[in-house]
Amino acid sequence: MRERGNEGTREHGLREIIGLFLKLGVIGFGGPAAHIAMMRDEVVRRRRWMSDQQFLDLVGATNLIPGPNSTEMAIHIGYARAGWPGLLAAGLCFIVPATLLVLALAWTYVRYGTLPEASAVLYGIKPVIIAIVVQALWGLGRAALRTAPLVVVGLLTLVLYLLGVNEILLLAAAAVVVMVASHAPRIRTAAPALLAAPGTGLLSAVAPAAVAAATTFNLAGMFLIFLKIGAVLYGSGYVLLAFLRSDFVVRLSWLTDRQLLDAVAVGQITPGPVFTTATFIGYVLGGWNGAVLATVGIFLPSFVFVAASHRYIPRLRGSAWAGALLDGVNVAALALMAGVTTQLTRAAIVDWVTLAFAGAAAVLLLRFKVNSAWLIIAGAAAGALVRLL
């Protein structure tokens, strides 16, 4: 009887998980911070599945592993509530609604993206995307750049990224430098030099991205790139831009900057994780098969990392070393976001109208806290109106 009772409880928990995360997958606009706020309202305040402290422990754990934070929060909550079935159900239910919508938009884009109507909509959306990234940089920067050494590490990371150093190596170097410096006061003043030294070697070992030769597209190579990104990407979903641009635009020439911005715009106007940008890129490059492989590749590591780390969350919570490592990763992630924003701005701000769109969106975001989804809709309508006139 006890086994039946436990089985019934687990099945009930699984149904709750499916219902909750399907709903959040449909209405989850606004990015990772908004997603996590919605999850807290549901699982802490309304359903009382866990305490605030337990929820915060999960938030901290998602910041210590690569991947999209809000998706990993969904997976953690599902695992805590309903075990392995809950882990899979929560992640899939949160991801699938956005994936299907992105697929529909990708299908439309491939067939009609060059028509005046479609280009007019994207003309208004792209500068708004730049403003959204700037707003994210502003908010995250105030939280991450708490000390002068962290500011120095961030600036050096930005410079090295703009010079062509590999973004994964920069993330790792910044994390190690900050972690070691925070536990060794004697070398705190040498931390910038420690970051610059490997960076100098990297400049000679890593060819400047701008001279990378184009490579013929293939599905297996695309899948491995998205698998790599999903396995190593720390920080906000916007850091995804740096990785996508480095691989698909600069190194392989499979996409243009404008196509990348189009993909990001679609990721922004749909609910759910920003990582569904991969679904759009996969479809543009390789049709339905490409969309499926790209989506699986970029999200698969999150399921693996959450399953492997969930049991260790209580130990991570009080670790000063893990906190310092996270500080370094966050600072480097911000630097990558800043670097890619400067590059993509040239493709989005093409005249005084788009400059005005970006400026107005930035004011509304920073001053009046307007939801980014509404701004994107407004940008699309304004772009269509400008082209019509």
Side-chain angles (χ1 to χ4, degrees), residues 142-160:
R142 289 186 298 176
L145 301 174
R146 301 186 306 274
T147 65
L150 288 174
V151 173
V152 172
V153 170
L155 290 174
L156 283 171
T157 303
L158 173 59
V159 170
L160 292 174

PDB file of all heavy atoms in Angstrom, residues 142-160:
ATOM      1  N   ARG A 142      25.768  46.394 -12.557  1.00  0.00           N
ATOM      2  CA  ARG A 142      25.709  46.947 -11.200  1.00  0.00           C
ATOM      3  C   ARG A 142      25.832  45.855 -10.148  1.00  0.00           C
ATOM      4  O   ARG A 142      26.351  46.091  -9.051  1.00  0.00           O
ATOM      5  CB  ARG A 142      24.398  47.714 -11.010  1.00  0.00           C
ATOM      6  CG  ARG A 142      24.339  49.025 -11.792  1.00  0.00           C
ATOM      7  CD  ARG A 142      23.087  49.806 -11.468  1.00  0.00           C
ATOM      8  NE  ARG A 142      21.887  49.067 -11.839  1.00  0.00           N
ATOM      9  CZ  ARG A 142      20.652  49.488 -11.601  1.00  0.00           C
ATOM     10  NH1 ARG A 142      20.454  50.633 -10.965  1.00  0.00           N
ATOM     11  NH2 ARG A 142      19.613  48.777 -11.988  1.00  0.00           N
ATOM     12  N   ALA A 143      25.360  44.653 -10.469  1.00  0.00           N
ATOM     13  CA  ALA A 143      25.441  43.555  -9.510  1.00  0.00           C
ATOM     14  C   ALA A 143      26.800  42.862  -9.537  1.00  0.00           C
ATOM     15  O   ALA A 143      27.284  42.394  -8.505  1.00  0.00           O
ATOM     16  CB  ALA A 143      24.336  42.542  -9.794  1.00  0.00           C
ATOM     17  N   ALA A 144      27.423  42.794 -10.722  1.00  0.00           N
ATOM     18  CA  ALA A 144      28.648  42.005 -10.862  1.00  0.00           C
ATOM     19  C   ALA A 144      29.930  42.793 -10.603  1.00  0.00           C
ATOM     20  O   ALA A 144      30.888  42.261 -10.049  1.00  0.00           O
ATOM     21  CB  ALA A 144      28.714  41.385 -12.257  1.00  0.00           C
ATOM     22  N   LEU A 145      29.954  44.065 -11.015  1.00  0.00           N
ATOM     23  CA  LEU A 145      31.184  44.855 -10.921  1.00  0.00           C
ATOM     24  C   LEU A 145      31.243  45.573  -9.578  1.00  0.00           C
ATOM     25  O   LEU A 145      31.162  46.785  -9.478  1.00  0.00           O
ATOM     26  CB  LEU A 145      31.254  45.843 -12.081  1.00  0.00           C
ATOM     27  CG  LEU A 145      31.223  45.211 -13.477  1.00  0.00           C
ATOM     28  CD1 LEU A 145      31.155  46.273 -14.556  1.00  0.00           C
ATOM     29  CD2 LEU A 145      32.437  44.308 -13.676  1.00  0.00           C
ATOM     30  N   ARG A 146      31.421  44.793  -8.524  1.00  0.00           N
ATOM     31  CA  ARG A 146      31.345  45.328  -7.162  1.00  0.00           C
ATOM     32  C   ARG A 146      32.659  45.899  -6.662  1.00  0.00           C
ATOM     33  O   ARG A 146      32.670  46.684  -5.720  1.00  0.00           O
ATOM     34  CB  ARG A 146      30.881  44.224  -6.204  1.00  0.00           C
ATOM     35  CG  ARG A 146      29.532  43.631  -6.558  1.00  0.00           C
ATOM     36  CD  ARG A 146      29.075  42.661  -5.484  1.00  0.00           C
ATOM     37  NE  ARG A 146      30.069  41.636  -5.216  1.00  0.00           N
ATOM     38  CZ  ARG A 146      30.177  40.504  -5.898  1.00  0.00           C
ATOM     39  NH1 ARG A 146      29.348  40.260  -6.895  1.00  0.00           N
ATOM     40  NH2 ARG A 146      31.100  39.613  -5.597  1.00  0.00           N
ATOM     41  N   THR A 147      33.787  45.480  -7.237  1.00  0.00           N
ATOM     42  CA  THR A 147      35.094  45.928  -6.761  1.00  0.00           C
ATOM     43  C   THR A 147      35.955  46.357  -7.941  1.00  0.00           C
ATOM     44  O   THR A 147      35.697  45.987  -9.095  1.00  0.00           O
ATOM     45  CB  THR A 147      35.824  44.800  -6.006  1.00  0.00           C
ATOM     46  OG1 THR A 147      36.107  43.730  -6.931  1.00  0.00           O
ATOM     47  CG2 THR A 147      34.962  44.262  -4.863  1.00  0.00           C
ATOM     48  N   ALA A 148      36.999  47.129  -7.633  1.00  0.00           N
ATOM     49  CA  ALA A 148      37.905  47.598  -8.685  1.00  0.00           C
ATOM     50  C   ALA A 148      38.586  46.443  -9.417  1.00  0.00           C
ATOM     51  O   ALA A 148      38.699  46.470 -10.652  1.00  0.00           O
ATOM     52  CB  ALA A 148      38.927  48.559  -8.096  1.00  0.00           C
ATOM     53  N   PRO A 149      39.082  45.392  -8.713  1.00  0.00           N
ATOM     54  CA  PRO A 149      39.698  44.271  -9.448  1.00  0.00           C
ATOM     55  C   PRO A 149      38.737  43.598 -10.426  1.00  0.00           C
ATOM     56  O   PRO A 149      39.148  43.203 -11.520  1.00  0.00           O
ATOM     57  CB  PRO A 149      40.112  43.311  -8.325  1.00  0.00           C
ATOM     58  CG  PRO A 149      40.323  44.182  -7.140  1.00  0.00           C
ATOM     59  CD  PRO A 149      39.278  45.243  -7.252  1.00  0.00           C
ATOM     60  N   LEU A 150      37.460  43.477 -10.037  1.00  0.00           N
ATOM     61  CA  LEU A 150      36.495  42.874 -10.954  1.00  0.00           C
ATOM     62  C   LEU A 150      36.289  43.749 -12.185  1.00  0.00           C
ATOM     63  O   LEU A 150      36.140  43.245 -13.302  1.00  0.00           O
ATOM     64  CB  LEU A 150      35.164  42.647 -10.244  1.00  0.00           C
ATOM     65  CG  LEU A 150      35.123  41.521  -9.211  1.00  0.00           C
ATOM     66  CD1 LEU A 150      33.781  41.508  -8.481  1.00  0.00           C
ATOM     67  CD2 LEU A 150      35.378  40.169  -9.867  1.00  0.00           C
ATOM     68  N   VAL A 151      36.293  45.060 -11.996  1.00  0.00           N
ATOM     69  CA  VAL A 151      36.170  45.980 -13.130  1.00  0.00           C
ATOM     70  C   VAL A 151      37.363  45.819 -14.063  1.00  0.00           C
ATOM     71  O   VAL A 151      37.210  45.783 -15.297  1.00  0.00           O
ATOM     72  CB  VAL A 151      36.068  47.433 -12.635  1.00  0.00           C
ATOM     73  CG1 VAL A 151      36.124  48.407 -13.814  1.00  0.00           C
ATOM     74  CG2 VAL A 151      34.768  47.640 -11.851  1.00  0.00           C
ATOM     75  N   VAL A 152      38.566  45.703 -13.494  1.00  0.00           N
ATOM     76  CA  VAL A 152      39.772  45.553 -14.312  1.00  0.00           C
ATOM     77  C   VAL A 152      39.723  44.256 -15.110  1.00  0.00           C
ATOM     78  O   VAL A 152      40.028  44.223 -16.310  1.00  0.00           O
ATOM     79  CB  VAL A 152      41.032  45.603 -13.424  1.00  0.00           C
ATOM     80  CG1 VAL A 152      42.275  45.249 -14.236  1.00  0.00           C
ATOM     81  CG2 VAL A 152      41.185  46.984 -12.806  1.00  0.00           C
ATOM     82  N   VAL A 153      39.337  43.167 -14.457  1.00  0.00           N
ATOM     83  CA  VAL A 153      39.233  41.880 -15.152  1.00  0.00           C
ATOM     84  C   VAL A 153      38.207  41.970 -16.284  1.00  0.00           C
ATOM     85  O   VAL A 153      38.427  41.465 -17.389  1.00  0.00           O
ATOM     86  CB  VAL A 153      38.860  40.764 -14.159  1.00  0.00           C
ATOM     87  CG1 VAL A 153      38.510  39.474 -14.910  1.00  0.00           C
ATOM     88  CG2 VAL A 153      40.011  40.500 -13.194  1.00  0.00           C
ATOM     89  N   GLY A 154      37.088  42.632 -16.023  1.00  0.00           N
ATOM     90  CA  GLY A 154      36.079  42.786 -17.054  1.00  0.00           C
ATOM     91  C   GLY A 154      36.574  43.579 -18.249  1.00  0.00           C
ATOM     92  O   GLY A 154      36.334  43.203 -19.407  1.00  0.00           O
ATOM     93  N   LEU A 155      37.275  44.683 -17.988  1.00  0.00           N
ATOM     94  CA  LEU A 155      37.789  45.504 -19.084  1.00  0.00           C
ATOM     95  C   LEU A 155      38.827  44.751 -19.906  1.00  0.00           C
ATOM     96  O   LEU A 155      38.836  44.827 -21.147  1.00  0.00           O
ATOM     97  CB  LEU A 155      38.390  46.795 -18.528  1.00  0.00           C
ATOM     98  CG  LEU A 155      37.379  47.804 -17.960  1.00  0.00           C
ATOM     99  CD1 LEU A 155      38.119  48.975 -17.313  1.00  0.00           C
ATOM    100  CD2 LEU A 155      36.442  48.305 -19.056  1.00  0.00           C
ATOM    101  N   LEU A 156      39.721  44.021 -19.235  1.00  0.00           N
ATOM    102  CA  LEU A 156      40.720  43.244 -19.962  1.00  0.00           C
ATOM    103  C   LEU A 156      40.066  42.150 -20.812  1.00  0.00           C
ATOM    104  O   LEU A 156      40.485  41.885 -21.948  1.00  0.00           O
ATOM    105  CB  LEU A 156      41.721  42.627 -18.984  1.00  0.00           C
ATOM    106  CG  LEU A 156      42.786  43.576 -18.429  1.00  0.00           C
ATOM    107  CD1 LEU A 156      43.574  42.899 -17.325  1.00  0.00           C
ATOM    108  CD2 LEU A 156      43.724  44.036 -19.543  1.00  0.00           C
ATOM    109  N   THR A 157      39.055  41.516 -20.258  1.00  0.00           N
ATOM    110  CA  THR A 157      38.343  40.491 -21.020  1.00  0.00           C
ATOM    111  C   THR A 157      37.699  41.096 -22.265  1.00  0.00           C
ATOM    112  O   THR A 157      37.749  40.504 -23.357  1.00  0.00           O
ATOM    113  CB  THR A 157      37.270  39.829 -20.143  1.00  0.00           C
ATOM    114  OG1 THR A 157      37.879  39.277 -18.976  1.00  0.00           O
ATOM    115  CG2 THR A 157      36.557  38.717 -20.903  1.00  0.00           C
ATOM    116  N   LEU A 158      37.107  42.267 -22.118  1.00  0.00           N
ATOM    117  CA  LEU A 158      36.488  42.945 -23.255  1.00  0.00           C
ATOM    118  C   LEU A 158      37.515  43.250 -24.340  1.00  0.00           C
ATOM    119  O   LEU A 158      37.287  42.989 -25.526  1.00  0.00           O
ATOM    120  CB  LEU A 158      35.818  44.232 -22.788  1.00  0.00           C
ATOM    121  CG  LEU A 158      35.256  45.157 -23.882  1.00  0.00           C
ATOM    122  CD1 LEU A 158      34.209  44.438 -24.718  1.00  0.00           C
ATOM    123  CD2 LEU A 158      34.685  46.426 -23.266  1.00  0.00           C
ATOM    124  N   VAL A 159      38.659  43.792 -23.943  1.00  0.00           N
ATOM    125  CA  VAL A 159      39.702  44.137 -24.914  1.00  0.00           C
ATOM    126  C   VAL A 159      40.195  42.890 -25.645  1.00  0.00           C
ATOM    127  O   VAL A 159      40.343  42.881 -26.877  1.00  0.00           O
ATOM    128  CB  VAL A 159      40.863  44.856 -24.207  1.00  0.00           C
ATOM    129  CG1 VAL A 159      42.056  45.004 -25.156  1.00  0.00           C
ATOM    130  CG2 VAL A 159      40.417  46.219 -23.694  1.00  0.00           C
ATOM    131  N   LEU A 160      40.451  41.810 -24.890  1.00  0.00           N
ATOM    132  CA  LEU A 160      40.959  40.586 -25.508  1.00  0.00           C
ATOM    133  C   LEU A 160      39.919  39.960 -26.440  1.00  0.00           C
ATOM    134  O   LEU A 160      40.272  39.415 -27.499  1.00  0.00           O
ATOM    135  CB  LEU A 160      41.365  39.589 -24.420  1.00  0.00           C
ATOM    136  CG  LEU A 160      42.594  39.994 -23.587  1.00  0.00           C
ATOM    137  CD1 LEU A 160      42.813  39.015 -22.450  1.00  0.00           C
ATOM    138  CD2 LEU A 160      43.836  40.072 -24.476  1.00  0.00           C
TER     139      LEU A 160
END
